[in-house]
Amino acid sequence: MTLERTEELALNLGPQHPSMHGVFRMVAHFDGEIITKIDPKIGYLHRGLEKLAESRTYAQFIPYTDRLDYLAAPHNNMAYVQAVEKLANIQIPERAEYLRVIFAELARIASHLVFIGSLALDMAGWTAWGYCFRDRERILDLFEMTAGSRLTVNAMRIGGFSQEVPDEFWPALKSFLDDLPEMLEEYQGIFYGNEIAMGRMKSVGILTKEDAANFSTTGPVLRASGVKHDLRKDAPYGIYDRFEFDVPVLYGCDSYDRGLIRLLEIKESAKIIRQAMRDIPEGPIMAKVPKVLKPPVGEVYHAVENPKGELGFYLVSDGSTKPARLRIRSATFINIQLLPAISPGWKIQDVIAIFATLDAVLGEVDK
Amino acid sequence: MFGKGLFKGLHISLKRMLGPNVTEYYPEQKPNLPPRVRSSMGLDPDKCISCGICANTCPNKVITLTSEKGDNNKKVLKTYQMDVGRCLFCGLCTEACPTSALTVTQQYENAVYDADELQWDMIKRHRHQTGKEG
Amino acid sequence: MDALNKLPLNIAAAIRGLFGDPHSIWADLTMTVIGIVLVIVLIVLAALILILLERKIGGWASQRPGPNRLGPRGWFQTIADALKLLGKEDVTPAEADRFIFKIAPMIVFALPMMTLAVIPFGMGMVPIDLDLGIMYYLAISAISTLALLMAGWGSNSNYSMLGGMRAVAQMISYEIPLIFSLLGVVMITQTFSLSKIVEAQSTIPFVVIQPIAFVIYFIAGIAEVNRAPFDLVEADQEIVAGPFTEYTGLRWGLFFLGEYGNMTAVAALITTMFLGGWQGPGFLPGIVWFFLKVGIIIFLMMWIRWTFPRMRIDHLMGLAWKVLLPLSLLNILLTGLGIYIYQYVLRIGG
Ligand code: SF4
Ligand code: SF4
């Protein structure tokens, strides 16, 4: 008996689909439940940020960077302002550096919480999602009381930090960090430790070390495939070389490890924040920066490790007040290219999980 | 043992089910926003010196203002328009304002039915608000 | 208490008394109609309450209050939702197979009605007392597979199609352990009649004698009614809403009613087969005991739904064929051995 091939089914997932993050769209081709081909379509959220930058002054572009990876806005701010500072050769005060680190790591925790929540939600783990967002709320409160906004924080300025943190900030931060282990245990209990979730993610969506490297993947996705690469350690920016922390690396190469590594990274971020809280000096938070900033002619590339991977800004200055060219190297734009490569052969449910573990934020993909 | 995780999960969700809620009953219970929250803009026309720095700082050309020469050659604010539909609520303008005439406010119920209502006449709004308060 | 227990019977007798001959065909007919109407009312009421309860439990589990606007603490929310559904436009996709598309929700809604009709709700309170009650129940509940396939096929949409196919694969697989798990009880009681099975549990509910069968039936029952973690049929993160994707308004509402009706029916059967049905300590009337037990089972189902992620389809199949089926066969074997030993001991003793 020969096996008859059945007709392939094409299914359109997105841009409005319950499982899609943001406005990502993919056309999935099936043979039964098995994916044969994935055709990702991006660009639904394209706002032309790179071009917009050319008509804004250096300082004016900071609020736009908030809208790249809107789950971790401080990282985008930081990458951009550090790039400009590199270009214009500005030294910033110590206290501002520490505040930047605290904010960036808080944003990393917040972003990973969203990740865990939406990974659970993509497998119908509604309750786990609720818990993650409940706890993320406390980080957003911290952002809100300092910078005045929850998502589009706009906290950093060229030459320092926008505002001194209020008095309530430190106790609130401390209590959050104290409660963090308990929260992580809860996620472990309700989601990561759940046999059904394990069954859905273990040994699924294998991304080999070679593939990961060849696709120039960065961030947790790469580290879950056994490559120890973290810009905070490998090319320290700001004052990251002063902190002691580990870079978690997992060797499973599957969806589960890509999920779990975020949980481990949250712990490391908490370590960094604790050290920063201990060491932060008193002092000013803004350097002397000319009102009208005209960086010397030249170009610079500066990259930071944002929660999703390497976020880089390439800036070209022609000596005027506006950048001549800005290019954003966003992590998820590159990580998302993995989807068509690793999905075929897995079931549709697995692909939803794989996509969730790539942690795409469409603001950053489409720019 | 297989199944341990399942029971752990059930235990957690039951504990939360019996525990207190963490949400806010929104329209009845208004959130208490910290004073730095940028959810609206407010202008005090008496403080404004019509320098136009705010309009220049704004990345999105939200602000347009006109002024006229008053007595002893001081500029007096005549109109102050904000096209809030385009506002990023980034706060760069309020940061730049030398006299703190333009400030962020914590009024967050800004939804309107008509796009035209997003053209805020800041002087009128100020009068309206102070009138209500006084 | 006995009087309360017998009250429904007395009312029934009184109604029958209205006819000249209490056992004439007209009296029987009237009683059947009344029974059916009561079952319909029960299903609609159950759906209204359960939908709200589901949302409340989902809310509480993630530390929210759930619906809280309409009526005291939001308890009227489902009524408003139902009214809203009534007012929605009824869309039939242009490419749909109209007849199949339209009839599927009706079948889904009718099934729990037919299954609940044979459940003994209280002493002597069986809308229709069939000698082959279990057989009938299983046969009817199996039809829902067909209805979901019809909805999936008739909608002519890929999401629906996948959902319908999943429904067939899943429900047929789970039907087998489901039926086998009930066999143990049947072997002990030597009857297919649900009311006789309830009577046989007057001293001890069968969950004590048949714990394996209870667990198997509970799991397979959840899979039968497509509830999380086995809700692959309407897995919204994958196939939007499976077979229901293209439905709107009242038709969609019928699916919803049917779904919750099915859930009630499964819970009612579990109560009848394993938890002693309406039997319970005498301080509450039988019907209250019955609904209490049904409520507990339903709460368990909801609790599980709001805790677990969805299973993968191959694990789902594996669970049915590799775990539940052998276990249920083992259970039959053990039950047979137990009966044999029991009879042997009886013979020795006597
Ligand atoms: S908040 Fe930002 S976008 Fe809005 S008016 Fe001020 S500077 Fe312009
Ligand atoms: S910057 Fe301040 S003072 Fe100057 S025009 Fe704007 S609001 Fe008025």
Side-chain angles (χ1 to χ4, degrees), chain A residues 17-92:
Chain A
H17 183 275
S19 81
M20 281 301 127
H21 300 206
V23 286
F24 181 67
R25 175 178 167 219
M26 60 185 182
V27 180
H29 296 262
F30 296 93
D31 181 14
E33 285 265 340
I34 312 279
I35 299 272
T36 53
K37 195 177 120 201
I38 290 237
D39 209 355
K41 315 255 187 220
I42 57 174
Y44 285 88
L45 200 62
H46 181 62
R47 293 147 298 176
L49 286 180
E50 289 174 359
K51 190 72 191 165
L52 267 177
E54 293 168 20
S55 58
R56 302 289 186 274
T57 65
Y58 285 94
Q60 276 178 345
F61 189 64
I62 301 173
Y64 291 93
T65 61
D66 285 333
R67 284 144 180 90
L68 279 168
D69 172 4
Y70 40 77
L71 297 178
H75 278 281
N76 312 332
N77 292 167
M78 185 157 84
Y80 176 71
V81 295
Q82 283 183 343
V84 178
E85 281 155 11
K86 226 184 204 177
L87 191 65
N89 214 350
I90 298 171
Q91 294 299 320
I92 77 160

Side-chain angles (χ1 to χ4, degrees), chain C residues 250-271:
Chain C
L250 199 56
R251 278 179 219 286
W252 187 79
L254 281 184
F255 273 121
F256 228 65
L257 279 184
E259 198 174 304
Y260 282 90
N262 261 331
M263 190 174 154
T264 322
V266 166
L269 194 71
I270 293 179
T271 309

Side-chain angles (χ1 to χ4, degrees), chain A residues 10 12 33 123 127 131 134, chain C residues 61 63 158-159 166 306 310:
Chain A
N12 181 38
E33 285 265 340
M123 303 179 189
T127 309
Y131 296 161
R134 172 198 68 200
Chain C
Q63 296 182 289
N158 283 353
Y159 301 120
R166 280 180 175 188
W306 289 103
R310 185 178 301 121

